[in-house]
Amino acid sequence: MTSSNSISTAKPILIVGGTGKTGRRVAERLDAQNVPVRIGSRSGSPAFDWEDRNTWLPALDGVKAAYITYYPDIAIPGATETVEAFARLAVDNGVKRLVLLSGRGEHEAQRAEKAFQQSGADWTIVRASWFAQNFSENVMLASILAGELALPVGDVGEPFVDANDIADVVAAALTDDRHIGELYEVTGPRLLTFAQATEEIASAVKRDIRYVTITPEQFSHGLAQEQLPPEIVGLLNELFTQVLDGRNEYLADGVQRALGRAPRDFSHYVQETAATGIWSDISEGQ
């Protein structure tokens, strides 16, 4: 339930990246509350493209608030300037209520946060740890299915956060003005290494899935062989070798502060995801 000072929901809320991991979940929550939503994506109507600034204003036209996720990642060079320009354009056109998704331990992300805070917006920042859903909704899925996850990360603990918790926090921030001016650092409730996380998945699906630590060079070579764009290869290498160097090996209370409840545990995510069958051996039933 929103407060008496909550923003009006007569106008839609723009979700930039509305088809992504958190964006589509935020859209589902707002839909469930009968809050009008506008999906900001290249396939949206009107279309939105970070690389085409001519699409920004039509996407903002007539909306009351916006959730901002930057593609491919807020950690890449130039993200700060782009996010700042979009935030200022939004404010200048009467869209002051803005919520930004950021990342922990990323220098460029923290630069973007500062610029965002100075944009004149009624802002909220959600600074997230690694998504649990990265094991089931991105490039790591293929490795899990193949039975071996190989990454340039050793025994570093990461408090994987459930994308559903992020969506809950964002939806609350977009519809209740008590979250204005808050920076919520959101994590899961415990630290796990990638090896431990892989072991939990393997146990849940009763399959042999190994975790192997490789060098950054081996990692980059493997990504290049998958024909990923060079900028994506560089981004992933930086995230795995720098952000996961131990600097984020701690828990934060953002979910508790924003929602008044504990964050979902990784085991909850694993059991829920395993039940969908997405981690089942791809050769089964063939």
Side-chain angles (χ1 to χ4, degrees):
M1 181 178 295
T2 58
S3 72
S4 59
N5 293 323
S6 300
I7 63 169
S8 169
T9 56
K11 295 181 178 180
I13 291 177
L14 172 66
I15 303 178
V16 176
T19 59
K21 287 188 190 71
T22 65
R24 62 182 175 82
R25 288 175 166 88
V26 171
E28 290 168 359
R29 282 151 177 78
L30 295 178
D31 283 339
Q33 298 175 43
N34 295 316
V35 177
V37 168
R38 177 178 296 169
I39 301 299
S41 69
R42 291 176 180 175
S43 59
S45 180
F48 178 90
D49 186 345
W50 278 116
E51 297 180 359
D52 182 0
R53 297 195 178 197
N54 291 325
T55 66
W56 295 2
L57 197 54
L60 286 165
D61 184 43
V63 304
K64 185 66 176 180
Y67 172 46
I68 303 170
T69 65
Y70 185 76
Y71 182 84
D73 193 276
I74 200 169
I76 68 168
T80 294
E81 291 74 20
T82 306
V83 168
E84 180 181 22
F86 179 78
R88 291 189 181 279
L89 180 68
V91 172
D92 288 346
N93 285 274
V95 186
K96 290 200 66 177
R97 189 71 188 98
L98 303 177
V99 178
L100 176 70
L101 178 66
S102 185
R104 298 204 314 162
E106 302 170 0
H107 175 68
E108 188 70 16
Q110 266 75 83
R111 282 189 62 229
E113 289 178 6
K114 290 179 181 177
F116 184 69
Q117 290 169 322
Q118 297 167 0
S119 66
D122 291 335
W123 58 266
T124 303
I125 294 171
V126 181
R127 182 192 290 167
S129 59
W130 275 75
F131 298 176
Q133 278 73 11
N134 285 337
F135 289 94
S136 54
E137 297 181 21
N138 83 341
V139 291
M140 288 198 289
L141 174 59
S143 297
I144 295 292
L145 290 174
E148 180 177 290
L149 178 60
L151 298 171
V153 186
D155 292 329
V156 175
E158 173 69 14
F160 299 102
V161 66
D162 195 309
N164 290 296
D165 280 342
I166 298 173
D168 286 345
V169 172
V170 171
L174 287 166
T175 55
D176 190 331
D177 63 10
R178 71 183 179 85
H179 301 286
I180 291 173
E182 294 287 350
L183 192 160
Y184 294 120
E185 187 163 340
V186 295
T187 72
R190 63 186 168 116
L191 295 167
L192 293 93
T193 65
F194 275 84
Q196 290 170 331
T198 303
E199 185 178 350
E200 286 204 23
I201 294 170
S203 177
V205 297
K206 297 178 173 57
R207 290 184 50 218
D208 181 20
I209 307 172
R210 298 193 310 140
Y211 179 76
V212 180
T213 301
I214 58 176
T215 67
E217 292 74 23
Q218 290 172 317
F219 182 60
S220 293
H221 180 69
L223 293 175
Q225 284 189 319
E226 294 177 18
Q227 298 184 325
L228 291 175
E231 62 271 20
I232 300 299
V233 172
L235 169 65
L236 289 172
N237 207 345
E238 178 181 346
L239 291 177
F240 277 108
T241 58
Q242 294 186 28
V243 176
L244 289 166
D245 62 0
R247 71 183 69 178
N248 290 327
E249 210 167 10
Y250 64 91
L251 306 179
D253 65 353
V255 174
Q256 182 71 47
R257 286 200 300 116
L259 303 176
R261 64 162 175 82
R264 293 174 174 88
D265 190 77
F266 187 76
S267 62
H268 179 274
Y269 155 74
V270 169
Q271 294 301 322
E272 192 174 63
T273 305
T276 69
I278 196 170
W279 287 324
S280 298
D281 189 330
I282 55 175
S283 65
E284 289 180 0
Q286 294 184 353

